[in-house]
Amino acid sequence: MPTAHEADERPTAGQDDDVAGRLALAVGRLNRRIRSSTGGLSHGQLSALSTIVRRGPLRPSELAAIEVAAAPTITRVVAELEARGLVERTPDPEDRRSLFVSGTEAGAELLLEARSDRARAAAGVLADLAPEQLDAVRRALPALEQAAQVTPPPPASAS
């Protein structure tokens, strides 16, 4: 049985709703502040390009599942990325009716530029925080990465 103190630390349903609402608002506003550069792509196109470059080659159906998007949407996104020279389609050697989508060198370069621009914008946001607030963000990162299903980068090596 929890102590009175432990019971006070557990969030109630209302507190959970407040955390969810506050997080959604903060993430939305932060995203608007840091999404300044997408290399001229929509956010859906940039997300799909990122997935293709990181995980490709992929079948469009695999991309749709990863991006949680409808097949016609992915078909349109892939066609737009291909028209810009950022991805290429190649036939599946085992099933000529199917195809794979891979990132091109231009796609990987655009993705790196967009990520660098976003990282610089995020650094600007973080620079406005007091040191203790920055530490709080740093401590919250593992939970946020897990919630976003993002694999954290490997620890920096001590050189």
Side-chain angles (χ1 to χ4, degrees), residues 14-103:
Q15 288 172 322
D16 283 344
D17 292 345
D18 187 45
V19 168
R22 288 174 62 194
L23 178 63
L25 179 62
V27 167
R29 288 200 179 157
L30 283 170
N31 192 40
R32 280 191 294 281
R33 286 184 66 188
I34 66 172
R35 69 179 178 191
S36 59
S37 177
T38 59
L41 300 178
S42 73
H43 296 290
Q45 290 169 334
L46 189 62
S47 179
L49 178 61
S50 177
T51 298
I52 294 165
V53 168
R54 272 187 298 110
R55 297 186 179 187
L58 295 168
R59 287 184 172 85
S61 60
E62 295 169 319
L63 180 60
I66 293 166
E67 292 293 313
V68 191
T73 300
I74 290 300
T75 299
R76 206 169 29 256
V77 166
V78 168
E80 291 167 9
L81 293 173
E82 184 179 37
R84 293 175 186 230
L86 304 174
V87 301
E88 59 188 9
R89 299 184 225 204
T90 54
D92 180 341
E94 296 176 12
D95 180 357
R96 300 300 275 181
R97 297 169 298 164
S98 187
L99 58 96
F100 286 105
V101 181
S102 303

Side-chain angles (χ1 to χ4, degrees), residues 98-150:
S98 187
L99 58 96
F100 286 105
V101 181
S102 303
T104 63
E105 189 174 319
E109 287 174 12
L110 183 139
L111 190 58
L112 286 174
E113 288 175 27
R115 284 182 179 161
S116 293
D117 289 347
R118 289 173 62 95
R120 276 191 295 279
V125 168
L126 295 174
D128 293 337
L129 298 179
E132 61 273 4
Q133 292 172 316
L134 184 56
D135 286 341
V137 170
R138 189 176 290 113
R139 286 190 309 273
L141 279 174
L144 292 170
E145 288 166 337
Q146 182 177 350
Q149 298 177 343
V150 171

